[in-house]
Structures are given as structure tokens and as C-alpha cells.
Amino acid sequence: MNVNLAHLHLLLNHVPTIGTVIGLGLFFVSLVGRNDSVKKASLVILLMVAAAALPVYITGNAANEIVQNRVSKELVAKHQDAAALALAFMAVTGIFAWLGLWQYRRDSRPAGWTMFAILLVSVVTLGLMTQAATLGGEIRHEEIRSAEDAAAGPGVVASIGQFVLDHSWVWPTCETVHYIGLCLLFGTVLAINLRLLGMMKSVQVSALRGLLPWGLLGFGLNVISGMLFFVATPTQYTQNVAFHWKIIFMVLAGLNTLYLTFDESWRVEEGSDAPFGAKVMAAVGILAWFGVLYMGRMLPYIGNSF
Amino acid sequence: MGFFIWLEQTGFAQWVHESESVFAFPTFLTAHVTGMGVLVGLATVINLRLLGCIPRVPLTPMATFFPVMWYAFYANVVTGAALFASDATAKVQTLDFYIKLVLVALGMLSLVAIRSEVFRSPAVDKVPVSSKGKTLAVISLILWAGAITAARLIAYLAPRHHAAFLFQRLGSLL
């Protein structure tokens, strides 16, 4: 049997739904039981589910290319729209979960409004995720389809993609935003990781955390501009080995960021060396983000996008 | 123009432009973008510090960024020269290319000015950043954002192959 990206989609697509149920369930338990360890664990789960949702969405496009002549286009379009909306809310949940973890690190307890936001957004996300999953299931399972499911017309995601292609200014604008976001992200990554590696040793590591919102802003700009490229011409990415590597490096870089969120190296005082483990992780962080940049720039050359 | 035609015809420029090897044009381009990420990334961190973000970071140790930024700049002069040679006749006819060069030069000048105004000041880290220092930081951020915009748009505004090629590829996908 040849394993293709459609199989990968079928394998991964349960993660966002079930993961959100587990994360949200644990979050409830932690609120009722006032247990900080459980709360931290639930935030980590929500964050990891958010990170996993992107590959699920992308493999979904690849799956569509493989099965497109054998399934209803309308059902796929509805599933895609629901999945894109769920992905957006999942990303917001992930950002708030990371913020909550970050507040644990900084103030040893998260702010009340962050917890409220996580509760609200993750409940909405769960609803949207369930909807996307159901619509996805209906593509291959006729027995669960309801009567009105065959409504025609192009989906919202397809319309956004068409908008990008129809207006020649959108692509260059997104490319420009993508490069500016890259600089914000790279500056933050370099400043913090180079400090851990021993440059600017007279700086307290925690004094650099004010850069994190700027790094996050750069990452957010690039996810949005990147998704606009993706929805406009999905095949040039789903069938591009450089893009697969780019996503793998992004997941690596994300795990690295998660590690550094918890790592004790934030306590390293001015004039002190970071522990060896933190130095290794700092080097891995820089290399992982460089990998993302390298594979991104090589999309047209190792793969065949433009 | 004769010089640029000659430059474009040199063996090296031909190799950069025509070779199928991933180490030719793609590697020069990727190295150029990496240099940009290091240079503009660190410049952004310094400018954000001058504007009051990360106030607890003293400026003196941040001065170690300057040599790193200059190395990134020199590396980009080299990779940029190779990329220019590979497509010289088209680039010299593109106004946007000159705008980019000017903005990069002004961006580097803004860093030199920031270094002498703020980092080389005897009062560095003893008094808050001067309003002149803050103004320079804002100017520097704008110049670098402008340089990136102009640089990125060269691919779409340069005559001959690139823009046409991109939209041709786009057309074949639809």
C-alpha cells in the first residue's frame, strides 16, 4: 500500500477535535478543582492541538486533490470552509493558551481575563471543529448526510483564493508583509537565543521577554499572508516537498518555543551563563527557524511553486 | 549599457542565472534573504529598545549586535552583487531597484547615526534615550520597512522575465 497525504489527513484529522475535547475537559477540571498543574497541562494540550491543526488543514487540501473526482465538490467546499474557520479559532485558542503559560512563567499565575478568553474561545473552537469534522465525515459516509447538504456555490475559502488570484496587487503585498514579519520574528529569535548562547552576557534573560509580542506579531503576519498564498494556489504547496519540510521545521521551531517557555533559563541573571541544555535548545531554535526560511525561499527551486 | 551586457555574459553570471543547480541562483537568493533577516531583525530589536520596549535591557551589551549586522550587510553586498550580475541589464532599467539601493544605504546610515548618537554617547545607560535617539529609531524602522518593500517588489516590477514569468506560471495553474 502506498501511504499518501490523504491517508495522513485521515490519520491526523481526529487530533483537533479529540484534542480540544481533552484540553477543554482538563481546563474545566482545573477551574473546578483549582489545580494549577492540571491547568498548565490543559493549556499545553490546547497549544499543541493548535499547532497540529495546521498540518491537518494542509493535508486536507492534499487529500482533496487525490479524491476530487470521486467525491462531491460541494461537500468538500463546505468541509473546507468549516475547517478554515475552525483553524482560525483554534489558532486564537493556541495564542491565548501560550499567553496563559507565559503568565504562569512571569507572574506564577495567569491573569483572570486570559483564563476567561481561553474558556470562551475554546468552547467556540470545539463547536466549529465538531462541525468541520462532521462535514468532513459526510464526504465519504453517505449514511450521515442530511438533506440540505448538497447546496451548491463556491465556498468562502475558494472565494478568498480567487480574490488573491484576481487582483494582481494582493500577491506582491502579501510577499512584502511576509518578509517584514520574517524580520520581526528573526530579530526576536536571534536576540533571545544569542543571549542564551552567551552573547550580551551582561543582560538578564528575562529582560528580553518584552520582544515576545513582537515575535508573535511577526509570526501572525506570516501565518496570515502565508495562508493567503496557500488558499490561492494550494496544489503548488501540497505537492511541493520543500513545503512539507517547511511545515516540519515550523513544528520543530514551535516545540522549541514551547520548551523555552517553560525552561528555567529565563531565570538566568546578568553576567551568568545559561545551562548547557538551554544553549543546545537555543542553537536548535535558531537552526529550526533558519530551516523554515530556507525551505520557504527554496519553494520555487527544490519544489516548483513560484 | 555595454558594461552590463558584458557583466551578464560573464561565465559566473551565466552560471548563477542559468544553472539548474540548487547552489546557483537559489542559494545566492536564500543567503541574501538570510542576511536580510539577521541585519533587519537585529536592527529592529535595537530600534524597539530605543523606543522603550524591553527597557530593562542595558544598551551597552546590545552594541555587540553592530558587528553582526555589518557582517550580514557585507555578505549581502556579495550575494547581491552576484544576483545583480546574473540579471544586470534588466536591473539597471528598473527604477525600483535604485530605490531599494538608496533605502538600504540610508538604512545603514541610520544605524551608523544611532551608534554614534546613542551607543557611543558617554551618558549611555545613565540617562534615558534622547528624543533624537528615538526619532532616529523611528526613521530607521521606516527605512528598513521601505527597503524590504522596494526589494520584494523588484521581482514584480523588473522588465523582462520575472513578473511576466510569475503570471505565466499563475495562468498555467488556473
Side-chain angles (χ1 to χ4, degrees):
Chain A
M1 186 185 83
N2 275 325
V3 177
N4 61 33
L5 289 174
H7 296 121
L8 191 60
H9 185 62
L10 295 177
L11 196 70
L12 289 176
N13 66 19
H14 301 90
V15 174
T17 323
I18 296 170
T20 312
V21 172
I22 296 172
L24 187 57
L26 277 180
F27 189 67
F28 266 127
V29 170
S30 77
L31 286 182
V32 175
R34 297 174 181 277
N35 185 324
D36 269 348
S37 319
V38 176
K39 194 177 280 173
K40 275 188 202 168
S42 70
L43 297 183
V44 172
I45 290 171
L46 286 173
L47 184 55
M48 290 176 76
V49 172
L54 192 63
V56 175
Y57 185 87
I58 286 162
T59 54
N61 265 89
N64 180 33
E65 287 150 25
I66 291 165
V67 300
Q68 60 182 339
N69 296 322
R70 284 174 273 158
V71 295
S72 150
K73 279 196 165 47
E74 285 76 24
L75 289 177
V76 170
K78 288 182 81 173
H79 171 51
Q80 175 167 267
D81 284 356
L85 192 62
L87 175 65
F89 272 82
M90 189 76 244
V92 177
T93 307
I95 289 169
F96 277 116
W98 181 77
L99 197 65
L101 289 171
W102 180 245
Q103 288 164 344
Y104 264 117
R105 152 67 56 234
R106 193 183 53 190
D107 311 324
S108 49
R109 68 188 190 83
W113 65 267
T114 318
M115 295 301 104
F116 180 72
I118 291 169
L119 190 60
L120 195 72
V121 186
S122 59
V123 168
V124 176
T125 304
L126 182 59
L128 294 170
M129 212 48 103
T130 313
Q131 170 80 352
T134 310
L135 288 169
E138 285 176 6
I139 294 171
R140 294 296 258 178
H141 297 276
E142 291 171 33
E143 71 281 6
I144 60 169
R145 269 181 221 165
S146 53
E148 76 271 25
D149 278 342
V156 179
V157 173
S159 306
I160 295 173
Q162 200 55 49
F163 179 86
V164 173
L165 294 177
D166 286 346
H167 298 80
S168 59
W169 56 269
V170 179
W171 198 282
T173 305
C174 287
E175 289 279 13
T176 304
V177 170
H178 212 66
Y179 274 50
I180 290 174
L182 178 162
C183 289
L184 281 171
L185 180 61
F186 240 62
T188 304
V189 167
L190 284 177
I192 294 171
N193 289 330
L194 286 176
R195 164 60 185 95
L196 292 175
L197 286 170
M199 215 174 135
M200 318 194 282
K201 212 187 276 180
S202 54
V203 174
Q204 201 182 1
V205 176
S206 63
L208 289 164
R209 62 189 173 200
L211 289 172
L212 290 170
W214 295 95
L216 203 61
L217 172 69
F219 182 68
L221 287 175
N222 281 16
V223 168
I224 292 168
S225 49
M227 282 308 283
L228 286 173
F229 298 137
F230 185 84
V231 298
T233 55
T235 44
Q236 69 166 346
Y237 301 112
T238 51
Q239 295 170 13
N240 189 329
V241 69
F243 185 73
H244 302 162
W245 278 107
K246 181 170 181 172
I247 296 294
I248 290 169
F249 276 115
M250 254 168 71
V251 171
L252 262 180
L255 289 175
N256 181 268
T257 307
L258 191 62
Y259 174 86
L260 286 177
T261 305
F262 288 102
D263 191 47
E264 291 298 311
S265 56
W266 283 103
R267 299 239 167 89
V268 172
E269 291 295 326
E270 51 258 57
S272 311
D273 257 321
F276 181 71
K279 286 190 175 181
V280 172
M281 287 309 270
V284 169
I286 292 176
L287 286 175
W289 285 114
F290 172 70
V292 174
L293 182 151
Y294 182 82
M295 288 302 166
R297 190 56 270 191
M298 285 289 178
L299 285 171
Y301 308 111
I302 294 177
N304 61 342
S305 75
F306 53 81
Chain B
M1 200 62 183
F3 169 74
F4 298 111
I5 294 171
W6 169 82
L7 182 63
E8 208 172 77
Q9 301 293 324
T10 56
F12 176 72
Q14 290 277 311
W15 175 76
V16 173
H17 196 245
E18 305 295 337
S19 171
E20 294 284 310
S21 165
V22 87
F23 295 107
F25 189 81
T27 293
F28 280 98
L29 188 60
T30 305
H32 202 66
V33 177
T34 308
M36 176 205 77
V38 173
L39 169 56
V40 183
L42 292 180
T44 306
V45 171
I46 288 178
N47 289 327
L48 288 174
R49 166 64 184 84
L50 297 183
L51 292 172
C53 160
I54 53 168
R56 289 193 299 120
V57 178
L59 285 163
T60 315
M62 286 185 93
T64 51
F65 284 169
F66 282 97
V68 180
M69 291 191 294
W70 276 104
Y71 285 130
F73 174 73
Y74 295 141
N76 273 22
V77 170
V78 173
T79 52
L83 293 168
F84 174 78
S86 76
D87 194 27
T89 53
K91 293 290 187 286
V92 290
Q93 294 177 62
T94 309
L95 174 64
D96 185 45
F97 177 70
Y98 296 99
I99 295 176
K100 177 235 170 138
L101 289 188
V102 169
L103 286 171
V104 169
L106 290 176
M108 290 312 289
L109 273 180
S110 76
L111 295 179
V112 172
I114 284 170
R115 197 175 193 186
S116 74
E117 165 69 21
V118 182
F119 286 86
R120 294 230 167 104
S121 153
V124 63
D125 286 329
K126 295 191 187 86
V127 295
V129 178
S130 66
S131 61
K132 190 181 169 198
K134 288 187 176 178
T135 312
L136 282 171
V138 172
I139 293 173
S140 181
L141 286 172
I142 293 171
L143 285 171
W144 285 119
I148 291 175
T149 306
R152 190 54 258 198
L153 294 184
I154 292 171
Y156 302 91
L157 298 175
R160 217 174 57 176
H161 65 275
H162 221 74
F165 168 76
L166 290 177
F167 285 102
Q168 197 186 329
R169 286 286 290 274
L170 200 62
S172 69
L173 272 165
L174 298 178

